[in-house]
Amino acid sequence: MPRISELFFKTAIIFFLLGIAIGIKMGISGDHGAFPAHAHFNLLGWVTSAIFGGYYALNPAKAEKRLAMIHYGLYTLGLVVMLPPLYLKYAYGMDAVEPILGIGSLIVAAGVLVFAYTVFSPAQPVRSATAATAR
């Protein structure tokens, strides 16, 4: 499996665990005010990151490009910047975090644009060592 796929899958698991923890906290407390953060941790963090990992596993030529690592870095940075303020806003009513939340959202959007470019760019075949020596 390409390294980028492993990174996305491992990152997805971390966000999944955090999303589950938020869900358990809401269930125990009976306060479901943080459900938007819970949904974003699970959907953007867990599901979308895992989908990215799967895409790169199925497209090794694109997984080897530097752009894949830029995508990972941007998207993950965006989540790290966006999700904690989102939780603080909805769990504790801390509206002062909204500017940070907005910045994180824009970074996530940039990561998604890089992924869209990756998906729509033409694939180039991976050159294996055996193919190179056969010539």
Side-chain angles (χ1 to χ4, degrees):
M1 180 181 320
R3 180 171 185 266
I4 193 72
S5 294
E6 288 220 17
L7 284 171
F8 268 119
F9 283 129
K10 288 176 181 178
T11 302
I13 292 297
I14 291 168
F15 283 112
F16 187 37
L17 291 170
L18 292 169
I20 293 296
I22 292 169
I24 290 170
K25 181 184 178 291
M26 287 189 309
I28 290 171
S29 70
D31 178 2
H32 294 84
F35 80 88
H38 169 69
H40 280 77
F41 269 86
N42 285 318
L43 205 58
L44 293 179
W46 160 235
V47 177
T48 306
S49 292
I51 289 170
F52 292 153
Y55 176 83
Y56 287 117
L58 294 170
N59 293 281
K62 291 183 179 184
E64 296 302 319
K65 292 186 176 185
R66 186 169 188 266
L67 197 57
M69 194 57 74
I70 291 169
H71 168 221
Y72 173 79
L74 261 179
Y75 188 78
T76 304
L77 173 65
L79 292 180
V80 169
V81 171
M82 180 184 82
L83 293 177
L86 186 67
Y87 178 74
L88 293 172
K89 176 178 173 46
Y90 287 104
Y92 300 105
M94 297 176 71
D95 293 335
V97 300
E98 286 186 12
I100 300 168
L101 176 58
I103 291 167
S105 297
L106 291 173
I107 298 169
V108 167
V112 171
L113 288 173
V114 170
F115 181 65
Y117 177 83
T118 299
V119 169
F120 287 102
S121 66
Q124 297 172 342
V126 176
R127 291 179 52 138
S128 68
T130 55
T133 58
R135 292 183 185 171

